[in-house]
Amino acid sequence: MSSSANEIILEAKNVSKSFWVHKRQVKSFKETVAVFFRSLSQSSESFYALRSVSFELRQGEVLGVIGKNGAGKSTLLKILSGIMQPDEGEINFYGKVASILDVGAGFHPELTGRENVFLSASLYGLTKIETERKFNDILSFSGVEKFIDEPVKNYSAGMYLRLAFAIIAHIDADIFLFDEVLAVGDAEFQLKCRNKIRELIEDKKTVVMVSHNLSEISKFAHRVIRLDSGKILDEGSSSTILEHYMEEAYNSNVSGSKNSVVDPPYILSSGISTDHFDVLSIELFASGKEKTSKILRTDGINVEVAINKKKKCSIQAGMFVSDISGNIILTNVSLDSEDIIGNDTFTGKGTFSVSFPPNFLNSGLFSFTFFFVITEDGKEFDSARRLVTKNNLVIKINSPEAESVYFKNIPGYLRPSLNWTFKELQK
């Protein structure tokens, strides 16, 4: 059954699921029998994997589900896919569902890849004739042509996932459920998966995806639900929820860690001390404002690295700027600047300074890591790249208060102010 645009296609109403967890380890068959006949209240306790989870999805929406291990993400997808039944609440679908939750789920290990394609496709309602018509496309997508007539028990985990995803990718469903589908497989296959997910989104299919890869959630999800201990802790736009999630993750990292998101002034005690120099401090602050001011997207950003040089040598500074998932999005080194002054003969205190122009980095969380290269008598030390700040400086770049809600949630890491023009064409 196909739904019209903006129509609710999936709804979860107060869904709860609990499991019994043994309080102590059972070590023998005799003890297992004793536990069975013992009161459940004495031997085990109830654990809620999900508690009163409710949400709605409309046709064409992509929902990301995030949370720590054990938050209830996979349990939710298993209930949505029909593998489990909720203890309380209900799930309503208004369309055909296809899911890939476990690598090779539904495959019979003794059957060949070819036989499993037909078996799995039949479970999704495809006739033999329909499967035969799509078989070559499924095989080409999977990339396991050489092994298609081998029993799948001989497949690697990657081959399992390739074939399983290839089948799902060619099912004409309305709702697709994915659990960490991009976590297994080589780069070529992951690219195929991403492109297929984009096609599904362009075709207005509804997608629910669980992933620990927040970059993937950010790319695809329109909306994100964050689960914690089986409950919906947070729900909203992907940019807002991911920012909250990562900020909390940084702040709860290690007690006393310098990796936490700090409030201005943004100052890092680097921890670098060598025979040649010490790094005294690293500061980031908004241009033309008090150092205690928050940095806005529309502000320029100044970076100042104070050092104490002990020996005559050449020192170059550099920095990596990373996203919330640790992916490096920008690298810059002082050597690239024509204005850098050679400091071979200088000893004592000095400051490296560099500035980001206004409207360069987008709003969100960014991690700054600094490194230094030492050259003495024209020789670069082999350990130079190991001279990296021990702790990252994680800062939050805020949206201007006057900015509309839409423009606050535009994805991307860089948001430079480019010169757009418009010219009316002659009629």
Side-chain angles (χ1 to χ4, degrees):
M1 166 182 157
S2 179
S3 300
S4 29
N6 295 320
E7 187 175 327
I8 292 176
I9 196 170
L10 185 163
E11 54 184 352
K13 298 180 178 179
N14 297 315
V15 174
S16 296
K17 180 67 179 178
S18 62
F19 300 95
W20 288 103
V21 180
H22 290 293
K23 292 181 179 179
R24 61 189 179 92
Q25 186 178 0
V26 179
K27 298 181 180 179
S28 65
F29 176 75
K30 180 179 179 181
E31 192 171 351
T32 301
V33 174
V35 167
F36 178 79
F37 287 104
R38 197 175 298 146
S39 168
L40 284 175
S41 63
Q42 295 178 353
S43 62
S44 59
E45 60 185 8
S46 180
F47 164 75
Y48 270 92
L50 292 176
R51 190 189 291 270
S52 300
V53 171
S54 299
F55 62 89
E56 295 179 342
L57 273 179
R58 300 182 182 276
Q59 183 183 357
E61 273 195 293
V62 181
L63 178 69
V65 183
I66 65 171
K68 299 176 183 178
N69 290 330
K73 306 182 299 296
S74 293
T75 301
L76 175 60
L77 282 197
K78 287 176 181 177
I79 290 176
L80 292 177
S81 65
I83 295 174
M84 291 180 179
Q85 293 298 315
D87 297 334
E88 301 173 15
E90 59 181 282
I91 303 286
N92 295 316
F93 293 104
Y94 305 99
K96 186 176 180 180
V97 182
S99 62
I100 176 168
L101 307 186
D102 296 305
V103 176
F107 281 2
H108 193 294
E110 300 296 333
L111 298 180
T112 66
R114 185 185 302 273
E115 291 166 335
N116 272 297
V117 169
F118 282 87
L119 174 62
S120 295
S122 68
L123 296 176
Y124 285 109
L126 266 66
T127 65
K128 184 179 179 182
I129 294 175
E130 289 173 324
T131 306
E132 287 174 343
R133 189 170 65 248
K134 295 184 177 186
F135 183 80
N136 288 337
D137 291 336
I138 293 173
L139 192 59
S140 176
F141 189 98
S142 70
V144 298
E145 293 95 330
K146 292 182 180 180
F147 310 96
I148 193 62
D149 290 310
E150 290 290 321
V152 297
K153 67 181 180 181
N154 298 330
Y155 282 17
S156 67
M159 291 165 64
Y160 257 89
L161 185 72
R162 280 175 173 268
L163 193 57
F165 189 91
I167 296 169
I168 296 300
H170 292 83
I171 299 295
D172 185 19
D174 302 295
I175 304 166
F176 290 83
L177 310 175
F178 298 129
D179 190 357
E180 298 288 3
V181 294
L182 297 174
V184 179
D186 55 28
E188 179 188 359
F189 179 67
Q190 289 182 5
L191 181 59
K192 279 186 177 182
C193 291
R194 291 188 188 97
N195 289 338
K196 190 60 186 180
I197 292 173
R198 288 191 185 95
E199 287 179 21
L200 296 176
I201 295 171
E202 290 171 1
D203 291 340
K204 302 298 182 184
K205 303 297 185 181
T206 302
V207 177
V208 180
M209 61 187 304
V210 163
S211 179
H212 286 289
N213 187 330
L214 301 188
S215 294
E216 300 299 339
I217 295 288
S218 178
K219 286 176 187 174
F220 297 117
H222 305 134
R223 189 156 55 95
V224 169
I225 284 176
R226 178 185 171 193
L227 292 177
D228 185 60
S229 301
K231 299 179 181 179
I232 294 181
L233 186 64
D234 218 352
E235 181 178 3
S237 68
S238 59
S239 59
T240 300
I241 303 305
L242 292 178
E243 183 178 296
H244 291 170
Y245 181 58
M246 288 308 301
E247 186 169 350
E248 183 177 304
Y250 273 113
N251 286 334
S252 62
N253 195 356
V254 179
S255 178
S257 170
K258 301 293 186 181
N259 286 329
S260 61
V261 182
V262 296
D263 293 322
Y266 303 99
I267 302 175
L268 176 65
S269 298
S270 71
I272 287 184
S273 181
T274 74
D275 291 338
H276 294 80
F277 77 107
D278 299 326
V279 179
L280 304 177
S281 67
I282 299 173
E283 294 186 73
L284 281 80
F285 51 92
S287 303
K289 298 168 70 173
E290 296 289 337
K291 290 187 177 181
T292 54
S293 303
K294 290 183 178 180
I295 296 178
L296 303 181
R297 182 181 59 77
T298 50
D299 291 330
I301 303 174
N302 292 339
V303 180
E304 292 185 356
V305 181
I307 67 169
N308 180 33
K309 194 174 168 196
K310 305 172 185 175
K311 291 185 178 182
K312 294 179 180 180
C313 62
S314 175
I315 301 175
Q316 298 293 338
M319 63 183 167
F320 303 123
V321 182
S322 305
D323 68 1
I324 57 176
S325 300
N327 302 306
I328 296 175
I329 61 171
L330 177 69
T331 302
N332 195 265
V333 293
S334 60
L335 190 63
D336 293 340
S337 175
E338 295 180 358
D339 296 328
I340 196 71
I341 300 173
N343 53 26
D344 298 58
T345 60
F346 165 78
T347 57
K349 295 182 179 179
T351 302
F352 287 98
S353 298
V354 67
S355 297
F356 290 84
N359 298 299
F360 183 75
L361 291 175
N362 202 357
S363 55
L365 294 177
F366 295 92
S367 176
F368 287 75
T369 306
F370 295 86
F371 63 91
F372 302 86
V373 178
I374 306 171
T375 306
E376 187 175 26
D377 296 328
K379 180 183 177 182
E380 184 177 305
F381 288 96
D382 293 336
S383 62
R385 288 300 296 274
R386 288 200 291 270
L387 295 176
V388 177
T389 50
K390 296 179 181 178
N391 302 304
N392 299 337
L393 181 58
V394 182
I395 71 168
K396 182 176 182 179
I397 297 180
N398 300 274
S399 297
E401 291 184 6
E403 198 163 52
S404 68
V405 173
Y406 173 79
F407 285 104
K408 284 182 180 179
N409 295 325
I410 289 181
Y413 305 124
L414 305 182
R415 196 167 159 189
S417 182
L418 304 179
N419 185 31
W420 287 65
T421 63
F422 175 80
K423 182 179 180 180
E424 185 177 357
L425 300 177
Q426 295 291 330
K427 294 181 180 180

